Amino acid sequence: MIFPIIAYGDPVLRKRAKNIEPGSLDVKTLSVNMYETMYAASGVGLAAPQIGQSIRMFVVDGEPLNEDEAEEDIDKTLIGFKKVFINPEIIEEAGDDWGFEEGCLSIPGIRGEVFRPEIIVIRYLDTDWNEHEEEYEGMAARIIQHEYDHLDGKLFTDYLPTLRRTLIKKKLADITKGKTDVEYKMKFPKL
């Protein structure tokens, strides 16, 4: 099932999501639906708040970023990088902060350079409720950090310099009002 993506301006995107209790919902079916939704919108990550569910869960698949790359340009951190993260906790960040232009399915048409640590260690549960603790670096770490932020009510635009945020204010207001052109289903806040 493909869910509509929740648009910028909806309060669910600004709430700290709640942990999921084992057995409280079917995380396997939800993860399949989240992947379907993410692929339909050509994304590489999707957090549960982006489909209106204020729970600590996100899915990622970074492999599409390698699809059109020459052999020498393939990002090795993204090979096989398809996972579901439930109740994740970033327990360590290391390395230098590096900039990359990010975007977000909930904020279509807007991109901006965000600086994030190059290495993270994250503890999370999978859909069988097994606990994992893993280290990620580079683009894989960035995708995780971006989605993890959604669980804490943060958006990539929060990291942009004040001037840049001022310059995109009208575009953000337009997205909230439903004035955006996207190829995927979206749900806009009731104003």
Side-chain angles (χ1 to χ4, degrees), residues 15-21 54-57 87 151:
K15 279 173 43 184
R16 181 172 164 77
K18 302 263 187 263
N19 275 341
I20 303 170
E21 294 299 320
S54 191
I55 54 174
R56 296 188 75 78
M57 177 174 170
N87 299 344
L151 306 184

Side-chain angles (χ1 to χ4, degrees), residues 159-170:
Y159 295 97
L160 301 178
T162 307
L163 177 61
R164 177 79 172 112
R165 285 200 310 265
T166 302
L167 292 173
I168 63 171
K169 206 174 222 168
K170 184 185 178 326

